[in-house]
Amino acid sequence: MSESHSKFLAVVKGNIFHGLVSEESLLDQVDTQIPIGDLRILFKSVYLFDYQHIYDALQLITTYDYCFIPVLNKKHEYVGVLTKQDLLIALNETLGNDEGAIIVLELGIRDNALSHIARIIEAENTNILSTAIHHLPDSSKLEMTIKVNKTNISGVVSSLWRNDYVVKATFRDGGEQSDTQDRYDLLMNYLDL
């Protein structure tokens, strides 16, 4: 546990998962020669099933702040563990690690009609690869992050501005100027309409 910097260890006998034992529980034991199975320790029962979605894994890992989550199959047999690194790799694949730009919109809570935004983006021959919505703290605004399949998104951004969407930022859009300059130019173009 010290070598892997883990506060917990999965306790498995054969393919039966018994739970997680904490480093603290093990350090509290007087006799260090007793096998784990003979100790009177309360095991934590935190795990995922192999058919659960990656978002379930993200929720568990962040809730418990574990460096890994044990994974069981439908028969409750131990399959292995999902580490934080595994989770990051899977999230990257899920959210679209393909080449493309990222657009961040600022919206009112009731203005997040993804279908309308999708029509605007697709009208510019651009596909949406993934989206995420985040509620801005202490505000009645949302932030929508959209990953698209192209890097030249000036037409998409202009169309969003024309349709009264606030483009808060763009990333990996292939532009040579700074993001601040792009936003300023877009605002000036919008005000000229």
Side-chain angles (χ1 to χ4, degrees):
M1 292 173 91
S2 295
E3 287 176 15
S4 65
H5 305 289
S6 176
K7 295 180 182 176
F8 290 91
L9 184 67
V11 179
V12 179
K13 185 174 184 181
N15 60 356
I16 305 300
F17 174 69
H18 293 282
L20 295 173
V21 63
S22 70
E23 181 180 30
E24 184 179 310
S25 296
L26 293 175
L27 291 173
D28 287 343
Q29 299 304 312
V30 178
D31 188 355
T32 59
Q33 301 303 314
I34 298 176
I36 290 178
D38 295 343
L39 295 175
R40 297 188 185 270
I41 296 177
L42 203 57
F43 294 124
K44 294 187 182 240
S45 187
V46 177
Y47 55 87
L48 284 168
F49 287 106
D50 57 2
Y51 56 83
Q52 285 184 269
H53 195 274
I54 194 72
Y55 290 170
D56 293 331
L58 181 63
Q59 191 269 330
L60 272 179
I61 267 186
T62 55
T63 297
Y64 293 101
D65 193 28
Y66 293 165
C67 61
F68 68 88
I69 297 290
V71 179
L72 309 180
N73 64 19
K74 289 181 181 182
K75 298 177 184 177
H76 286 75
E77 296 171 334
Y78 178 79
V79 176
V81 295
L82 177 71
T83 65
K84 283 184 178 181
Q85 182 67 26
D86 296 334
L87 182 61
L88 284 174
I89 291 167
L91 276 173
N92 187 41
E93 291 172 4
T94 300
L95 297 176
N97 61 357
D98 299 329
E99 198 58 36
I102 299 166
I103 303 167
V104 180
L105 301 178
E106 185 175 284
L107 308 164
I109 288 185
R110 301 189 194 283
D111 299 331
N112 64 345
L114 183 58
S115 59
H116 185 249
I117 295 168
R119 277 195 296 276
I120 293 168
I121 292 172
E122 289 170 356
E124 296 293 328
N125 293 322
T126 305
N127 294 324
I128 295 174
L129 300 175
S130 67
T131 61
I133 296 178
H134 170 69
H135 181 76
L136 297 173
D138 302 324
S139 172
S140 62
K141 300 281 185 184
L142 297 173
E143 192 174 84
M144 179 182 284
T145 303
I146 305 167
K147 173 79 182 266
V148 296
N149 68 332
K150 292 185 178 178
T151 55
N152 184 358
I153 56 167
S154 58
V156 172
V157 172
S158 297
S159 292
L160 289 166
W161 277 106
R162 277 195 306 276
N163 283 277
D164 296 325
Y165 287 102
V166 176
V167 179
K168 192 173 179 181
T170 60
F171 302 94
R172 296 192 332 197
D173 58 358
E176 295 178 15
Q177 297 177 339
S178 72
D179 188 50
T180 305
Q181 182 65 41
D182 288 343
R183 287 189 280 164
Y184 176 77
D185 292 343
L186 287 170
L187 177 62
M188 291 301 113
N189 288 339
Y190 176 72
L191 293 176
D192 286 341
L193 293 177

